[in-house]
Amino acid sequence: MDLGIKGKRALVCASSKGLGRGCAEALAEAGVDLVLNARGAEALEATAAHIRSTYGVEVTAVAADITSEDGRAAVLAAAGDIDILVTNAGGPPPGLWSDWSRDDFIAAIDGNMLAPIALMQAALPGMIARGWGRVVNITSGSVKAPIPQLGLSNAARTGLTGFVAGTARQVAEKGVNINNLLPGIHDTDRAVSLDTGVSKAQGITMDEARTQREGTIPARRYGTAAEFGATCAFMCSQHAGFMVGQNVLLDGGAINATI
Ligand code: NAP
């Protein structure tokens, strides 16, 4: 399917690895020029070089922490006018509801709620002025069904979801579509770190931890970054113009709900 976005320009945050990279590659395959971001310059430059040589699109790489004000300013300055924004950042650490201090909550809210909101506030005026835009926020299945050990994620991402629900409906008439993409368990470094937590907590091997978590998913496997990216690219396409303020869950059926 032609996604109809060849020649558009996208900022994909936190995209040297994992789900962000999957989104960047799928957009590049559709002919979109990219601004990529991550904190570590080495992996970021390697990903940028791979995408340039594989898909022949223009790629600008900006090494910066997207959750900091300075980092965002550097990324946005390099990005210039963008048609597509994919927000993403690392997730908050796991723990127990009783573990977290006010500072822990502020850090999670900064990273997973206020950072994407600031990026949207920066990008939306230009999209509205040009009459076309797509925003996809990478959030988590935890906004639909809380994950007990990820209370910081449950809290911060639900706040972002509320902001998007209201804002998406205010900008839709301008040709700008904002939606969220909710990963369940995917095969990335983040999954390895969560498997490590399960393995340590239960005194089992990494393979056993993975098999146990795969057993909780009706598809009986982890999702891939390529599948995730393909869905993101569709949500950024010309075909998704009637999708407004939605929360698209990719979790292999793990959340047991009718709607
Ligand atoms: P990942 O494999 O660990 O990749 C994270 C990417 O983001 C890397 O490129 C990393 O590069 C970059 N990054 C992290 N923090 C950053 C920051 N502050 N500023 C800029 N770049 C940053 O993670 P993932 O699995 O793709 O997950 C992406 C998001 O989806 C996370 O928020 C995660 O919590 C959420 N999620 C993932 C899953 C899953 O199963 N994978 C499930 C639910 C939710 P640097 O480290 O070099 O910055």
Side-chain angles (χ1 to χ4, degrees), residues 14 16-17 19 38-40 65-66 88-91 157 183-184 186 188 190:
S16 65
K17 300 177 187 170
L19 303 180
R39 291 163 304 180
D65 183 342
I66 202 68
N88 186 29
R157 296 186 198 277
H186 282 70
T188 68
R190 169 80 170 167

Side-chain angles (χ1 to χ4, degrees), residues 13-20 37-41 43 64-67 88-92 112 138-141 147 153 157 182-191 194 213:
C13 303
S15 52
S16 65
K17 300 177 187 170
L19 303 180
N37 152 258
R39 291 163 304 180
D65 183 342
I66 202 68
T67 67
N88 186 29
N112 296 107
I138 299 179
T139 65
S140 170
I147 301 171
S153 171
R157 296 186 198 277
L182 283 52
I185 302 175
H186 282 70
D187 204 354
T188 68
D189 290 355
R190 169 80 170 167
L194 294 175
R213 291 214 299 152

